Amino acid sequence: MQISLFKQKLKRRGQKSLETKKLWQFAPTDIILGFIKTEKTDNQLKTVSKVKTPVIKNGAKVKEKYTVTFKSGRTLEKERVKTEVKEVEKIKLTFKVLKWANKVDVKNAVESLYGVQVEKVNITKAPYKFRQRRGLVRKSYVKAIVTLKQGEKMPDLAKVA
Protein backbone atom coordinates (compact mmCIF):
# COMPACT_ATOMS: atom_id res chain seq x y z
CA MET A 1 0.00 0.00 0.00
CA GLN A 2 2.72 2.47 1.00
CA ILE A 3 4.88 1.57 -2.01
CA SER A 4 2.10 2.37 -4.49
CA LEU A 5 1.47 5.76 -2.81
CA PHE A 6 5.18 6.53 -3.04
CA LYS A 7 5.22 5.66 -6.76
CA GLN A 8 2.22 7.93 -7.35
CA LYS A 9 4.04 10.81 -5.61
CA LEU A 10 7.09 10.26 -7.81
CA LYS A 11 4.95 10.32 -10.95
CA ARG A 12 3.33 13.59 -9.87
CA ARG A 13 6.76 15.15 -9.17
CA GLY A 14 7.98 14.14 -12.63
CA GLN A 15 4.94 15.68 -14.32
CA LYS A 16 5.41 18.94 -12.38
CA SER A 17 9.07 19.22 -13.41
CA LEU A 18 8.17 18.74 -17.09
CA GLU A 19 5.46 21.41 -16.86
CA THR A 20 7.84 23.95 -15.30
CA LYS A 21 10.48 23.37 -18.00
CA LYS A 22 7.90 24.15 -20.68
CA LEU A 23 7.05 27.41 -18.93
CA TRP A 24 10.66 28.62 -18.80
CA GLN A 25 11.30 28.64 -22.54
CA PHE A 26 12.23 32.22 -23.39
CA ALA A 27 13.49 34.02 -26.47
CA PRO A 28 17.20 34.97 -26.62
CA THR A 29 16.32 38.63 -26.14
CA ASP A 30 14.71 37.74 -22.79
CA ILE A 31 17.83 35.92 -21.54
CA ILE A 32 20.32 38.73 -22.23
CA LEU A 33 19.32 41.86 -20.35
CA GLY A 34 22.04 44.09 -21.80
CA PHE A 35 25.71 44.70 -22.51
CA ILE A 36 27.75 45.87 -19.52
CA LYS A 37 29.89 48.79 -20.62
CA THR A 38 33.17 49.00 -18.79
CA GLU A 39 35.65 51.86 -18.82
CA LYS A 40 37.73 49.93 -21.34
CA THR A 41 37.73 50.92 -24.99
CA ASP A 42 37.09 48.47 -27.82
CA ASN A 43 40.84 47.85 -28.26
CA GLN A 44 41.24 46.97 -24.58
CA LEU A 45 38.39 44.43 -24.74
CA LYS A 46 40.72 42.24 -26.80
CA THR A 47 42.89 40.09 -24.57
CA VAL A 48 46.13 38.56 -25.79
CA SER A 49 46.82 35.03 -24.63
CA LYS A 50 49.93 32.95 -25.27
CA VAL A 51 49.49 29.49 -26.78
CA LYS A 52 52.20 26.82 -27.03
CA THR A 53 52.13 24.74 -30.21
CA PRO A 54 54.54 21.95 -31.22
CA VAL A 55 57.02 22.60 -34.05
CA ILE A 56 56.20 20.29 -36.96
CA LYS A 57 58.58 19.61 -39.87
CA ASN A 58 57.91 17.09 -42.65
CA GLY A 59 54.72 15.93 -40.91
CA ALA A 60 56.48 14.94 -37.67
CA LYS A 61 57.03 16.77 -34.38
CA VAL A 62 60.56 18.06 -33.84
CA LYS A 63 62.16 16.53 -30.76
CA GLU A 64 65.29 17.69 -28.98
CA LYS A 65 67.53 15.72 -26.65
CA TYR A 66 68.93 17.11 -23.42
CA THR A 67 70.87 15.66 -20.51
CA VAL A 68 70.21 16.06 -16.80
CA THR A 69 73.08 15.64 -14.34
CA PHE A 70 72.58 15.08 -10.64
CA LYS A 71 74.92 15.83 -7.72
CA SER A 72 75.67 12.14 -7.37
CA GLY A 73 77.18 12.16 -10.88
CA ARG A 74 74.36 10.20 -12.51
CA THR A 75 73.20 11.52 -15.91
CA LEU A 76 69.92 11.04 -17.74
CA GLU A 77 69.12 11.70 -21.39
CA LYS A 78 65.60 12.89 -22.12
CA GLU A 79 63.61 13.96 -25.18
CA ARG A 80 61.09 16.75 -25.39
CA VAL A 81 59.01 18.22 -28.18
CA LYS A 82 60.03 21.70 -29.30
CA THR A 83 57.23 24.24 -28.93
CA GLU A 84 56.53 27.68 -30.32
CA VAL A 85 54.77 30.40 -28.36
CA LYS A 86 52.14 32.29 -30.36
CA GLU A 87 50.07 35.25 -29.25
CA VAL A 88 46.35 34.92 -29.98
CA GLU A 89 43.86 37.78 -29.71
CA LYS A 90 40.51 36.93 -28.19
CA ILE A 91 37.54 39.25 -27.74
CA LYS A 92 35.71 39.11 -24.40
CA LEU A 93 32.26 40.68 -23.92
CA THR A 94 30.28 40.99 -20.68
CA PHE A 95 26.50 40.80 -20.54
CA LYS A 96 23.96 41.16 -17.77
CA VAL A 97 21.89 37.95 -17.77
CA LEU A 98 18.78 36.51 -16.10
CA LYS A 99 19.53 34.83 -12.76
CA TRP A 100 18.39 31.34 -13.82
CA ALA A 101 20.24 31.30 -17.20
CA ASN A 102 23.06 28.78 -17.65
CA LYS A 103 26.08 28.75 -19.97
CA VAL A 104 24.30 26.91 -22.80
CA ASP A 105 21.39 29.38 -22.79
CA VAL A 106 23.76 32.36 -22.92
CA LYS A 107 25.84 30.81 -25.72
CA ASN A 108 22.78 30.10 -27.87
CA ALA A 109 21.37 33.57 -27.21
CA VAL A 110 24.57 35.40 -28.19
CA GLU A 111 25.04 33.28 -31.32
CA SER A 112 21.47 33.83 -32.49
CA LEU A 113 21.34 37.57 -31.69
CA TYR A 114 24.71 38.70 -33.00
CA GLY A 115 25.61 35.98 -35.52
CA VAL A 116 28.96 35.33 -33.84
CA GLN A 117 30.63 32.04 -32.87
CA VAL A 118 31.24 31.69 -29.13
CA GLU A 119 34.22 29.76 -27.77
CA LYS A 120 33.34 29.72 -24.06
CA VAL A 121 31.11 31.37 -21.48
CA ASN A 122 31.89 32.17 -17.83
CA ILE A 123 29.10 33.11 -15.45
CA THR A 124 29.66 35.08 -12.23
CA LYS A 125 27.26 36.42 -9.65
CA ALA A 126 27.78 40.00 -8.53
CA PRO A 127 26.75 40.09 -4.87
CA TYR A 128 24.26 42.37 -3.17
CA LYS A 129 26.11 45.37 -1.72
CA PHE A 130 24.93 47.64 1.04
CA ARG A 131 26.29 50.12 3.53
CA GLN A 132 25.29 50.47 7.12
CA ARG A 133 22.78 53.24 7.84
CA ARG A 134 22.71 54.44 4.23
CA GLY A 135 20.96 51.46 2.73
CA LEU A 136 21.34 49.80 -0.65
CA VAL A 137 24.27 50.48 -2.98
CA ARG A 138 23.79 47.74 -5.60
CA LYS A 139 21.35 44.89 -6.15
CA SER A 140 22.71 41.45 -6.95
CA TYR A 141 22.84 40.38 -10.59
CA VAL A 142 24.41 37.73 -12.80
CA LYS A 143 26.94 38.59 -15.48
CA ALA A 144 28.21 36.41 -18.31
CA ILE A 145 31.69 36.86 -19.79
CA VAL A 146 31.58 35.59 -23.38
CA THR A 147 34.82 34.76 -25.24
CA LEU A 148 34.51 34.82 -29.03
CA LYS A 149 36.36 32.38 -31.30
CA GLN A 150 39.59 33.40 -32.96
CA GLY A 151 39.06 35.53 -36.07
CA GLU A 152 35.60 36.77 -35.04
CA LYS A 153 34.93 40.51 -35.24
CA MET A 154 33.29 42.71 -32.63
CA PRO A 155 29.48 42.51 -33.11
CA ASP A 156 27.17 45.51 -33.30
CA LEU A 157 25.99 45.73 -29.69
CA ALA A 158 23.18 48.19 -30.48
CA LYS A 159 20.92 45.32 -31.66
CA VAL A 160 19.68 44.45 -28.14
CA ALA A 161 18.00 47.13 -26.04
Side-chain angles (χ1 to χ4, degrees), residues 2-143:
Q2 290 178 348
I3 294 172
S4 61
L5 291 173
F6 181 69
K7 285 182 180 179
Q8 287 174 357
K9 279 186 181 179
L10 286 177
K11 282 183 183 178
R12 278 190 235 127
R13 283 183 191 163
Q15 288 172 354
K16 284 182 183 177
S17 65
L18 287 175
E19 290 169 5
T20 53
K21 285 179 185 175
K22 289 178 186 175
L23 291 173
W24 284 99
Q25 290 177 348
F26 285 100
T29 51
D30 298 334
I31 293 172
I32 294 176
L33 301 175
F35 177 68
I36 298 175
K37 290 186 179 180
T38 57
E39 296 174 0
K40 298 177 181 178
T41 60
D42 291 345
N43 294 332
Q44 290 172 327
L45 284 172
K46 296 177 184 176
T47 57
V48 177
S49 59
K50 295 180 180 178
V51 179
K52 287 186 177 181
T53 56
V55 178
I56 297 173
K57 288 185 180 176
N58 301 330
K61 294 178 182 176
V62 177
K63 294 182 180 178
E64 63 178 358
K65 289 185 178 180
Y66 67 98
T67 58
V68 179
T69 56
F70 298 100
K71 288 181 180 177
S72 62
R74 198 178 82 189
T75 59
L76 284 175
E77 287 189 3
K78 292 187 174 182
E79 285 187 351
R80 67 175 163 210
V81 177
K82 278 191 174 181
T83 55
E84 295 176 323
V85 177
K86 295 181 180 178
E87 291 185 351
V88 179
E89 282 190 358
K90 294 183 179 179
I91 300 173
K92 290 189 175 183
L93 307 170
T94 55
F95 295 98
K96 199 170 185 180
V97 182
L98 283 181
K99 288 188 178 182
W100 58 267
N102 57 18
K103 291 182 181 184
V104 178
D105 294 335
V106 173
K107 182 179 178 181
N108 293 337
V110 170
E111 286 179 350
S112 65
L113 284 174
Y114 300 115
V116 178
Q117 291 183 340
V118 175
E119 185 177 332
K120 70 176 186 178
V121 177
N122 293 336
I123 292 179
T124 60
K125 293 181 180 178
Y128 171 85
K129 279 196 169 182
F130 64 93
R131 291 189 186 132
Q132 290 179 349
R133 297 186 186 138
R134 284 196 274 167
L136 176 67
V137 173
R138 183 184 74 205
K139 290 184 179 179
S140 63
Y141 65 92
V142 176
K143 80 178 170 185

